[in-house]
Amino acid sequence: MRESWRWYGPLDRIGLQEIAQTGASGIVTALHEIPYGEVWTAEAIEARKRLVANADLGLEWAVVESLPVHERIKRGDGKLDALFANYRQSMANLAAAGVRTICYNFMPLIDWTRTRLRSPVARGGTCLRFDTVEMCALELFMLERGEAENDYPAETRLKARDWYDASSGEDRERLLAAVMAGLPGAYDRYDIPGLRAALADWTGIDAATLRRNFARFLDEVIPAAEDLGMRFCVHPDDPPRDLLGLPRIVSDADDIAFVLGHREELANGLTLCSGSLGANPANDVPAIARRFADRIHFAHLRNVAKEPDGSFEEAAHLAGDTDMVALCGVLLSEERRRRSEGRDDHEIPFRPDHGHELLSDAGRDTHPGYPLVGRMRGLAELRGVMSALSHQGTTFHG
C-alpha cells in the first residue's frame, strides 16, 4: 500500500520537508482556495503539482481530497448543467496532469462533525471528540430546533438540558466553533442565526431526495471518470448518523451498496474510512472492506472508541474498537489479488487519518485532527502492521 499524507497546501502549518521525514511519498491535497463550482484550471493544477514535486523530496500528488461537490448539486437546486460541466472539466484537467484518484463526499452542508477539537486523552495529549449530549444541547437549546426532540432519547435530552444550564457563554462558543470546524474550507463559519439560515436551505430534503440527487451526480460524472481512467471514491459520512435535521446516506454497508450498485463501472468506488464507518456500532469495518474490496480506491485508516450513548472519540490507531490488523490484512489481500491480475493500479493509497496531538504538536495550531507527531505515530504503527502481515506471506482473511 502506498503511504500518503494529507496536506492542506501552502497554508498548511506542516511543511513538505516535514512530511517527507515521515516516510510517506504520496501527497493528498486539493486546491482549497478555488470556490466550489468553479473549474480547476490546468495551470492551477500544474502549479500545485510542481510545488509538491519541486521540493525534491520524493513526493508526488497522489490523491485529490477533495474535488468538492457544490451544495446546489446535493440539494438538486435549480439548473445544474453548468456546475456538472465545470466538475467534468476539472476532472479532465486533473487526469491530463496525471492525478487520477479523487476522494469526495456527499454530506449535506457540513463535511464532518465533532463537539470538541482538543479533548484530553490519558497520559497527555488531546483528540477529536463527538459528545452526543453536547450535540443535543446545540440542536435543542442553542439552535432551538424543536424537531431534534425526535432525534435523541429522553435521557440524552435531560443531560443536554443540564449541560446547557451549567454552560457559560464561552462553553457554547467553543461548542459552536468545534461544529463549524467541519464546514468546507471555502465556507464562512456561521453564528447561530447564520446556521439556522443555512439549514433552512435544506428544508424538505429527506434521505430519499438526497439519494436521488446523488444518483444524478454519479450519472453525470462516472462515465467521464471511466473514459479518463480515473478512480472516484466516495467518503462515508462522519459521523454516520443524521445531524441537525440533515440526512446522511453513506453510513453503512447498505448505503455503500446503493452507491456502488447505481454505477457499476470500476471508476465508481469507495474511500474506506475506518473511523467514519467505525463510529456506527452496527458496522463491522473489516467485513465491509471484504465485501467492497474490489472497489476500494483509497483508504483512511484511523480508529475510534465508542460509548453507549453514541459518543465517540479518536483513539490511537491500534487501540480503538476496529480490528486494524484484520482491516489491513483485507486491504493487503486485495492488493495481492489485483497484482495477480496484472493491474497497473493494484496499489491502494492510504493515509493515517487524524491523530492525537502529542508532544510538540501542542501550540502548532494545525488543522483539527491533523497534527504532525500524532499522525506520524499512526503511520509508524500501520507500517509495522503491514510489514508484519506481508512478511508472513499468507493469504489475508481479516
Side-chain angles (χ1 to χ4, degrees):
M1 296 182 70
R2 184 169 191 185
E3 297 180 2
S4 304
W5 191 274
R6 180 76 177 267
W7 183 58
Y8 284 92
L11 298 180
D12 198 319
R13 294 182 181 275
I14 297 173
L16 292 171
Q17 289 188 334
E18 291 176 293
I19 294 171
Q21 292 180 54
T22 71
S25 62
I27 294 296
V28 179
T29 192
L31 303 182
H32 298 287
E33 64 276 15
I34 297 179
Y36 285 21
E38 294 187 10
V39 172
W40 288 17
T41 66
E43 293 77 14
I45 292 167
E46 285 292 345
R48 180 58 53 84
K49 186 178 176 182
R50 286 194 302 271
L51 183 62
V52 171
N54 282 358
D56 195 27
L57 298 168
L59 303 176
E60 180 186 21
W61 188 0
V63 178
V64 174
E65 186 180 342
S66 299
L67 181 59
V69 181
H70 199 282
E71 294 299 294
R72 284 183 53 211
I73 292 175
K74 296 176 188 176
R75 293 194 302 264
D77 181 12
K79 189 172 177 59
L80 301 174
D81 291 350
L83 286 175
F84 284 125
N86 286 356
Y87 201 96
R88 289 190 294 267
Q89 186 61 57
S90 296
M91 292 166 54
N93 292 343
L94 284 162
V99 185
R100 297 179 182 274
T101 301
I102 296 177
C103 171
Y104 71 101
N105 75 71
F106 217 80
M107 287 181 266
L109 189 62
I110 298 178
D111 281 358
W112 54 272
T113 305
R114 299 292 187 273
T115 62
R116 300 185 199 176
L117 302 182
R118 291 180 173 85
S119 183
V121 297
R123 303 180 70 180
T126 64
C127 70
L128 299 178
R129 176 175 172 80
F130 178 88
D131 189 287
T132 302
V133 169
E134 291 181 346
M135 193 68 203
C136 180
L138 172 68
E139 295 206 49
L140 275 178
F141 307 120
M142 292 171 63
L143 281 172
E144 298 177 327
R145 192 178 75 81
E147 299 88 342
E149 287 270 354
N150 302 319
D151 297 339
Y152 296 93
E155 182 180 2
T156 299
R157 297 198 303 269
L158 289 171
K159 290 180 179 178
R161 177 83 258 181
D162 291 342
W163 182 92
Y164 182 79
D165 290 344
S167 66
S168 64
E170 184 178 344
D171 292 331
R172 297 169 196 172
E173 289 177 6
R174 173 196 57 76
L175 173 58
L176 180 62
V179 173
M180 289 300 97
L183 279 168
Y187 283 71
D188 293 331
R189 273 45 183 161
Y190 299 119
D191 56 13
I192 289 295
L195 182 54
R196 287 196 190 108
L199 290 170
D201 290 338
W202 288 86
T203 301
I205 298 177
D206 59 10
T209 303
L210 187 61
R211 191 172 285 114
R212 285 196 299 271
N213 296 341
F214 194 0
R216 180 184 177 187
F217 170 75
L218 294 173
D219 290 339
E220 292 279 355
V221 303
I222 294 302
E226 189 77 7
D227 290 343
L228 293 166
M230 303 192 85
R231 296 290 180 259
F232 242 62
C233 32
V234 65
H235 188 287
D237 300 327
D238 185 11
R241 54 168 292 175
D242 294 355
L243 290 173
L244 300 168
L246 301 172
R248 296 291 181 93
I249 58 169
V250 191
S251 293
D252 58 24
D254 289 342
D255 291 340
I256 295 168
F258 168 81
V259 175
L260 302 188
H262 182 74
R263 301 291 313 200
E264 296 189 349
E265 296 95 327
L266 183 60
N268 182 30
L270 173 67
T271 296
L272 193 287
C273 180
S274 56
S276 296
L277 292 169
N280 182 343
N283 286 339
D284 181 333
V285 181
I288 289 174
R290 282 193 298 272
R291 178 175 174 182
F292 302 109
D294 62 332
R295 304 283 281 279
I296 295 172
H297 302 321
F298 182 35
H300 290 178
L301 299 183
R302 63 182 172 91
N303 226 321
V304 297
K306 298 184 288 293
E307 299 167 24
D309 70 349
S311 301
F312 64 89
E313 65 183 30
E314 307 284 352
H317 286 72
L318 302 185
D321 296 335
T322 293
D323 186 339
M324 192 62 67
V325 176
L327 178 59
C328 289
V330 172
L331 297 173
L332 289 169
S333 182
E334 172 60 17
E335 277 196 335
R336 193 162 75 171
R337 185 192 68 81
R338 295 178 190 183
R339 282 196 302 272
S340 71
E341 294 180 351
R343 285 174 48 176
D344 58 6
D345 66 341
H346 64 269
E347 193 172 44
I348 300 172
F350 80 95
R351 64 176 179 85
D353 196 14
H354 297 177
H356 293 172
E357 284 195 342
L358 304 172
L359 303 172
S360 59
D361 289 330
R364 288 197 66 171
D365 196 27
T366 57
H367 287 75
Y370 290 92
L372 176 61
V373 177
R375 280 188 291 165
M376 185 166 63
R377 172 188 171 181
L379 177 59
E381 291 176 344
L382 294 167
R383 181 184 295 144
V385 167
M386 293 178 190
S387 295
L389 290 172
S390 298
H391 184 69
Q392 288 177 355
T394 61
T395 299
F396 307 106
H397 299 288

